[in-house]
Amino acid sequence: MELTATHQEALTELINIGYGRAAAALSELTGRRIILDVPKVAVFPIDKVSLVLSQVLQGEVASVHQVFSGPVAGHALLLLDHEAAMLLNSLLLDQASTGRLDATAREALIEVGNIVLNACLGVFGNLLQVQVTFAVPRLHMESVGSVLNSISVHEEELQYALMVHTRFHLKDSDVSGYMVIVLGIASFSRLLSELEKWEQRQVSR
Amino acid sequence: MNAVDMSHSFRQELDAAILSWTHQLAPHGIFTTDHEMRITSWNHWLETHSLFRAEQVIGQPLLKIAPSLSDRHLDGYFGDALKGEVKIVATALHRYLLPFPPTIPNSGFSHMQQSARIAPLMLDGRIWGTITVIEDVTEREWQNRELRNEKERQELLSETLAHLLIARDPDALVRDLFGRVAGQLKVDTYLHYRLERSTSRLHLQSSIGLTQDQEKALAILEKGEGYAGAAVRTGRPVIANFLRRSNDRQAESFKELGLEASAAFPLTVGEHLSGALVFAARRREKWEVEEVQFLHTISRYVAMTLDRTRQERTLRESEEQFRIMADTVPDIIYTATPAGRFDFINQRFYVVTGTTGNRALHFGWLRSLHEEDRPHLVEAWKEAVQTGQPFSAEFRLRVADGKFRWFFARARPVLDLVGQIVKWFGAITDIHDLKETQLALGTAQRQLADYAANLEKTVEMRTTELRENILHLESFSYTVAHDLRAPIRAIDGFARMILEQCDEVIPENSRHGLERIIRAAGCMDALTRDLLNYTKVATQKVELSLVDPNVVLEDVVTMNEALREPHATVAIVRPLHPVLAHSTLFTQCVSNLLDNAAKFVAPGVKPRIIVRSELIAPTDGNSDATPNANASEATLSPEARTSAGEDGYVRLWVEDNGIGMDALTREKIFGLFERAREVKRYPGTGIGLAILAKAIQRMGGRFGVESEIEAGSRFWIELQAVR
């Protein structure tokens, strides 16, 4: 399944809306201006994602993982390499990094990831006009391969991954990461068709 | 019964039971709200930690119980949960969800630190409300914070240490340091005191957090005064908490300043105490142990830095002094590295050589060296540097006027504690004039040696000539005296014959003339006889042997009527010591002396002569006395020669009551034909004492006279004694 240019444009715009909300929430939370932008959106079959991601995220990766269920079900992940996770953490908490991700730091990352993921998925939910139910977000520290493996191993349905390169701008620094939304083929087809409708609505408006 | 068989109603009952126990037992806070955010359940943990009982809060709007939620934008989280989202409340971002009192007292947290999860509460597929689980993470956060603080302190310490290591101005440093520490430890005041050794007082060197008046009031502390004084006196930190409640006298001044806690540290490095550093706070009442340790460490660093800057200052001053001194001394002074490169040379070098700049450093000084001296000097310096032995060398340097002058260089290595060479210290002295003098002296000495060698030859030659002359002269006068006596005797004989045979026919005046001829002939005869004697004494071979003066004196007195009573009195004071002499010459000497003593008396005075002798120790008696010839011409007999001088001398005195003589006469009296003016009217030839002088001289003795006009004379002769 390929994303057309139209799909890509529409997806980018929608995610930007979600990120806009997330950035507002994070700015409110931390009391300083935070911007989230989306340089690139792409779709890969799940078995390719691992290959692509492991080229940009090396070693141990901090991933905030949230399972969502309902008419559209899947996994939402925010992936940051260890360095980026540390940097983001110290920038958000405004304190020198202790050099490790302790419980406090992990919790903060979960909250931030949760905000970003919820904002995005919320926008999708609104678009698809479905109620999405979330499980409690969790943080894993492992390699990209292990993360994706634990997700796909239990699913028999053919899966696709929406990969969103994500950049946090705060305090003159950039922190780069990836949001990955893994969907079954049915959910993904539905998302694309809803996107097309949305696009048409936007044009006709 | 297994789970598959469970009926629906049983399942509901079981869930209710689990929920009931969960509410009772859960170590977390659990509460639920309806979709209007009114509290619907409040578990036991919440009752315990919130001080709100369940019945007080159930049914109440959550925002009434915790109004701060909306200020902290957390009310939206409940809204999101009502939309189906699961929300995480992270401690790091929110500190807490509900404002409960802290579970750890004195932890520094105003509220219990919480992390929470807010989830939608679904009922029959619909969102009915929210459920929230709160975890108390105060302990975790406290530990984290301590860990972070500790890390920050460590970083601060290492940063401080790095700073201190290069600091030049300790006061600026302490000020800067305080800026960093202040925020970390909530201190707002510090005082740095310097110990004045002579008075044992503490002087405020710098401070922060005090007004000018307050600084003035605390400017000088007497011995032991205040916390700083106490720290200096005891050499230990003085920590004071809860100052407001303290009745301590030392706390007074700080209490007035509104300070609540103080920590004073002595600034000590080893035995050296330089002052005290006091930290104080208005916003905190007490110090934690770790904070005290931290401040103590900082104080130690500061003390070390103060000590280092003090030592550096001393070193700089002493180096400066060395340079000034080195430029003042008239020598060239230099220092060199262990490898022998000159790293300092004083101004004198440039003045002497007329060069400028730093040309002499490293090995530049070699350029001023005389080419001939360069190889051996470089070799010697290399060897000294390699062996560590003191260096010295002479060489020529080109001086300001372009000429070369001689210099002498010396250098010694300075060793460190393990015997490694740290530096060479050297001095170069101008020895040109000295060197020239030495050369001139060498030439002069050589010339002198040549001259001395020639002189000896000349003297030897002249002496031989002189001896021959003397021998010729003596034999001549002997011949003359001997041959003269024959015509004298003829004149005398014929004059007497004329007088006897023609007594009656000779007129009176002719007789008178004849008598004068006879008298003159007598005189002439005596003169020639004496001359003969003198030359005999001078030419005769002299052999010395033991002579007894008693025997000689007896003979002389017996032979000469004029020395006997009633004409004269000769008193001999015995014993008269035997002498080593030539018997005939000695007799002649004694006879001459006694003759003179009896002759030269005032008219009508009876001569009184005393003869005595004294022994003179071998080393004495050679310093005084009159004309004297030490060079004896006497030939000592072998047995006498061995004892010569060893037994000392015998001095034989002949004392009279005669007319005496003046100093001038005393000097001349022993010369040939010399007669005292006063004795012209006395008969004599003026040869007697000359004969004596010659005789004594030939016997290796000495002679002399002590006399005053009209006070008599005391003649003495000195000859070797015989034991």
Side-chain angles (χ1 to χ4, degrees):
Chain A
M1 196 170 290
E2 293 284 321
L3 279 188
T4 63
T6 317
H7 289 149
Q8 198 140 17
E9 252 175 52
L11 259 181
T12 306
E13 197 175 336
L14 273 176
I15 292 167
N16 263 325
I17 291 168
Y19 274 14
R21 289 184 190 168
L26 287 175
S27 298
E28 199 177 78
L29 183 67
T30 58
R32 67 170 52 90
R33 185 175 160 78
I34 295 176
I35 295 168
L36 277 169
D37 72 13
V38 185
K40 203 174 175 203
V41 177
V43 169
F44 296 98
I46 187 78
D47 51 342
K48 295 271 167 56
V49 174
S50 179
L51 194 69
V52 175
L53 275 180
S54 57
Q55 282 171 4
V56 288
L57 296 170
Q58 269 136 28
E60 213 166 57
V61 170
S63 62
V64 180
H65 177 202
Q66 198 157 16
V67 178
F68 56 95
S69 54
V72 177
H75 301 267
L77 296 141
L78 181 68
L79 300 158
L80 297 164
D81 64 22
H82 189 262
E83 205 177 322
M86 299 288 298
L87 179 59
L88 182 63
N89 206 49
S90 66
L91 291 170
L92 288 172
L93 305 184
D94 197 20
Q95 65 188 25
S97 166
T98 52
R100 61 194 187 93
L101 286 173
D102 58 18
T104 308
R106 283 161 183 252
E107 212 172 63
L109 275 182
I110 295 174
E111 182 170 344
V112 170
N114 188 38
I115 288 169
V116 173
L117 296 176
N118 280 1
C120 259
L121 292 172
V123 170
F124 288 168
N126 287 346
L127 173 71
L128 302 175
Q129 290 172 338
V130 291
Q131 180 68 54
V132 181
T133 313
F134 296 95
V136 177
R138 303 195 186 285
L139 185 94
H140 304 284
M141 295 293 300
E142 51 195 1
S143 68
V144 171
S146 314
V147 176
L148 293 173
N149 207 31
S150 68
I151 290 168
S152 53
V153 96
H154 305 292
E155 313 285 339
E156 283 162 18
E157 193 185 10
L158 183 61
Q159 289 177 310
Y160 282 88
L162 179 63
M163 214 171 92
V164 184
H165 186 192
T166 306
R167 257 198 317 244
F168 296 80
H169 301 277
L170 67 162
K171 279 172 99 185
D172 304 326
S173 296
D174 282 357
V175 179
S176 211
Y178 289 86
M179 182 174 73
V180 177
I181 295 171
V182 180
L183 294 166
I185 182 135
S187 298
F188 195 63
S189 320
R190 185 154 172 213
L191 177 66
L192 290 186
S193 64
E194 289 299 331
L195 267 179
E196 280 161 17
K197 286 185 208 160
W198 179 75
E199 187 76 19
Q200 280 162 10
R201 281 205 300 275
Q202 298 297 307
V203 173
S204 62
R205 198 180 276 178
Chain B
M1 186 164 65
N2 58 43
V4 181
D5 300 326
M6 280 192 288
S7 70
H8 183 67
S9 62
F10 178 78
R11 173 87 218 194
Q12 277 183 334
E13 277 175 40
L14 185 62
D15 281 351
I18 291 169
L19 194 63
S20 166
W21 278 113
T22 304
H23 261 252
Q24 290 294 314
L25 299 175
H28 306 296
I30 304 171
F31 69 91
T32 54
T33 67
D34 61 16
H35 63 276
E36 310 234 294
M37 282 174 66
R38 273 192 299 263
I39 296 168
T40 50
S41 71
W42 191 258
N43 78 340
H44 181 71
W45 186 95
L46 286 169
E47 286 188 318
T48 315
H49 291 88
S50 72
L51 306 177
F52 284 118
R53 298 199 54 76
E55 52 267 33
Q56 289 175 282
V57 294
I58 287 174
Q60 300 282 342
L62 177 63
L63 291 179
K64 193 182 165 197
I65 300 299
S68 70
L69 283 176
S70 50
D71 299 338
R72 297 186 290 132
H73 311 292
L74 280 167
D75 50 347
Y77 278 40
F78 288 91
D80 291 340
L82 286 173
K83 284 183 223 153
E85 292 181 19
V86 175
K87 304 302 289 186
I88 302 287
V89 179
T91 323
L93 293 165
H94 307 276
R95 309 320 316 176
Y96 55 93
L97 180 68
L98 298 180
F100 295 166
T103 36
I104 300 174
N106 299 321
S107 61
F109 292 122
S110 57
H111 298 90
M112 175 202 287
Q113 302 292 292
Q114 300 165 350
S115 87
R117 286 162 171 72
I118 307 165
L121 198 55
M122 307 285 282
L123 208 64
D124 295 335
R126 272 183 54 245
I127 296 170
W128 180 84
T130 65
I131 177 162
T132 304
V133 177
I134 298 173
E135 188 186 352
D136 175 8
V137 292
T138 312
E139 175 84 28
R140 184 189 79 189
E141 288 302 306
W142 182 65
Q143 279 173 356
N144 274 351
R145 198 189 54 189
E146 286 306 303
L147 215 61
R148 231 172 11 248
N149 282 349
E150 180 60 25
K151 189 160 180 278
E152 273 174 35
R153 281 198 287 263
Q154 289 303 331
E155 280 169 1
L156 193 56
L157 281 183
S158 52
E159 203 181 314
T160 306
L161 192 59
H163 246 73
L164 287 165
L165 281 173
I166 52 161
R168 287 266 169 271
D169 176 3
D171 272 326
L173 171 98
V174 174
R175 218 164 249 283
D176 176 50
L177 196 64
F178 181 76
R180 293 156 196 271
V181 176
Q184 243 264 343
L185 298 182
K186 287 198 225 145
V187 289
D188 44 55
T189 305
Y190 91 86
L191 303 97
H192 170 210
Y193 281 101
R194 180 177 54 81
L195 176 67
E196 179 61 54
R197 230 147 252 299
S198 54
T199 57
S200 296
R201 282 172 168 174
L202 289 173
H203 295 251
L204 187 60
Q205 191 77 7
S206 66
S207 73
I208 281 184
L210 300 178
T211 64
Q212 281 193 342
D213 288 343
Q214 290 167 342
E215 273 185 359
K216 230 178 255 174
L218 291 168
I220 294 177
L221 297 182
E222 294 296 332
K223 203 175 178 180
E225 188 186 0
Y227 289 125
V232 165
R233 199 190 56 221
T234 59
R236 290 211 193 88
V238 177
I239 309 303
N241 296 321
F242 306 110
L243 286 182
R244 217 175 340 157
R245 284 184 251 157
S246 167
N247 293 322
D248 203 343
R249 215 163 44 84
Q250 287 165 324
E252 286 308 317
S253 57
F254 277 16
K255 275 161 78 175
E256 284 168 22
L257 300 177
L259 295 166
E260 301 276 356
S262 148
F265 301 91
L267 295 173
T268 327
V269 174
E271 296 290 298
H272 187 258
L273 183 64
S274 60
L277 198 56
V278 185
F279 296 93
R282 292 180 171 84
R283 286 184 290 143
R284 59 182 306 159
E285 292 185 312
K286 67 183 280 285
W287 306 103
E288 299 300 330
V289 177
E290 307 83 55
E291 291 170 339
V292 170
Q293 279 170 354
F294 173 69
L295 289 175
H296 197 180
T297 308
I298 292 260
S299 303
R300 274 201 292 263
Y301 285 177
V302 170
M304 264 151 53
T305 308
L306 290 172
D307 193 58
R308 179 177 56 76
T309 51
R310 185 176 56 85
Q311 281 178 1
E312 279 176 356
R313 203 169 48 237
T314 315
L315 197 67
R316 269 201 304 279
E317 280 166 9
S318 71
E319 266 178 19
E320 187 60 24
Q321 276 172 0
F322 167 71
R323 259 144 220 259
I324 290 171
M325 196 188 73
D327 281 339
T328 323
V329 294
D331 287 341
I332 296 167
I333 302 280
Y334 66 89
T335 66
T337 63
R341 293 157 69 93
F342 280 33
D343 56 0
F344 167 77
I345 193 155
N346 66 349
Q347 279 306 309
R348 186 75 197 150
F349 178 84
Y350 300 105
V351 173
V352 167
T353 58
T355 53
T356 50
N358 287 327
R359 275 195 54 185
L361 291 186
H362 303 308
F363 293 103
W365 54 278
L366 287 171
R367 284 193 290 261
S368 299
L369 210 63
H370 195 290
E371 266 184 38
E372 286 173 18
D373 299 336
R374 205 171 289 164
H376 86 259
L377 187 71
V378 168
E379 212 41 54
W381 179 234
K382 260 190 202 163
E383 201 192 321
V385 165
Q386 272 164 15
T387 60
Q389 292 298 310
F391 161 84
S392 68
E394 285 184 9
F395 51 87
R396 283 160 288 179
L397 277 183
R398 192 198 308 278
V399 297
D401 63 4
K403 291 178 184 154
F404 284 97
R405 285 179 74 81
W406 280 100
F407 285 83
F408 175 67
R410 248 178 320 207
R412 282 183 164 280
V414 179
L415 306 179
D416 64 10
L417 289 174
V418 291
Q420 289 285 315
I421 295 176
V422 199
K423 225 177 186 27
W424 285 87
F425 270 96
I428 300 173
T429 312
D430 185 337
I431 54 158
H432 195 77
D433 295 340
L434 188 71
K435 190 98 179 165
E436 296 230 302
T437 312
Q438 273 176 352
L439 285 174
L441 201 64
T443 312
Q445 272 171 345
R446 261 196 314 282
Q447 285 172 348
L448 204 62
D450 290 350
Y451 181 71
N454 285 335
L455 195 64
E456 259 173 46
K457 267 181 215 158
T458 313
V459 168
E460 206 174 306
M461 211 166 67
R462 297 258 166 90
T463 312
T464 314
E465 278 173 19
L466 205 61
R467 273 208 189 110
E468 282 169 5
N469 285 347
I470 289 170
L471 279 175
H472 286 151
L473 205 61
E474 281 173 347
S475 63
F476 169 74
S477 36
Y478 181 79
T479 311
V480 167
H482 198 266
D483 292 350
L484 271 178
R485 291 191 72 191
I488 291 166
R489 274 199 300 276
I491 291 168
D492 180 68
F494 284 112
R496 284 179 191 276
M497 213 166 70
I498 293 169
L499 206 57
E500 278 169 19
Q501 290 174 359
C502 315
D503 191 27
E504 285 91 31
V505 291
I506 296 174
E508 188 56 30
N509 54 348
S510 299
R511 168 194 297 270
H512 195 61
L514 278 174
E515 278 167 1
R516 285 186 64 178
I517 286 172
I518 290 165
R519 247 194 337 270
C523 276
M524 191 69 161
D525 187 40
L527 190 65
T528 48
R529 194 177 61 238
D530 281 353
L531 262 178
L532 199 59
N533 269 339
Y534 177 78
T535 39
K536 255 188 201 163
V537 167
T539 52
Q540 181 165 49
K541 198 177 177 204
V542 174
E543 275 189 4
L544 303 181
S545 59
L546 191 143
V547 175
D548 184 356
N550 291 298
V551 177
V552 173
L553 262 165
E554 209 168 294
D555 286 352
V556 170
V557 173
T558 312
M559 296 285 288
N560 194 339
E561 195 187 353
L563 295 174
R564 292 201 299 270
E565 296 287 359
H567 308 291
T569 310
V570 176
I572 298 171
V573 180
R574 295 183 204 278
L576 290 177
H577 303 93
V579 294
L580 194 63
H582 183 265
S583 180
T584 315
L585 291 183
F586 182 71
T587 308
Q588 177 113 46
C589 289
V590 172
S591 169
N592 282 4
L593 285 175
L594 290 176
D595 278 353
N596 281 350
K599 192 186 334 175
F600 298 113
V601 287
V605 173
K606 181 182 175 187
R608 285 190 51 81
I609 303 163
I610 302 167
V611 180
R612 57 185 177 88
S613 78
E614 62 177 317
L615 271 174
I616 292 170
T619 49
D620 298 348
N622 291 328
S623 54
D624 54 357
T626 24
N628 168 2
N630 276 328
S632 170
E633 287 179 57
T635 312
L636 293 166
S637 60
E639 63 275 25
R641 193 192 293 268
T642 53
S643 62
E646 283 177 11
D647 294 333
Y649 292 84
V650 172
R651 187 175 280 193
L652 191 73
W653 289 91
V654 178
E655 302 175 4
D656 62 44
N657 58 339
I659 53 172
M661 65 194 89
D662 59 16
L664 193 69
T665 311
R666 282 204 303 274
E667 270 178 35
K668 292 179 167 179
I669 191 90
F670 293 99
L672 197 57
F673 304 120
E674 291 290 351
R675 303 193 68 198
R677 254 179 295 119
E678 301 81 4
V679 299
K680 294 283 193 231
R681 51 198 155 96
Y682 297 93
T685 57
I687 294 178
L689 285 177
I691 291 171
L692 175 138
K694 193 71 181 177
I696 297 294
Q697 183 189 322
R698 297 214 54 194
M699 287 186 291
R702 310 191 317 158
F703 51 85
V705 63
E706 293 172 3
S707 176
E708 295 295 334
I709 295 283
E710 294 174 2
S713 300
R714 293 172 299 285
F715 282 87
W716 59 264
I717 55 174
E718 205 176 272
L719 289 163
Q720 284 175 40
V722 182
R723 225 175 251 274

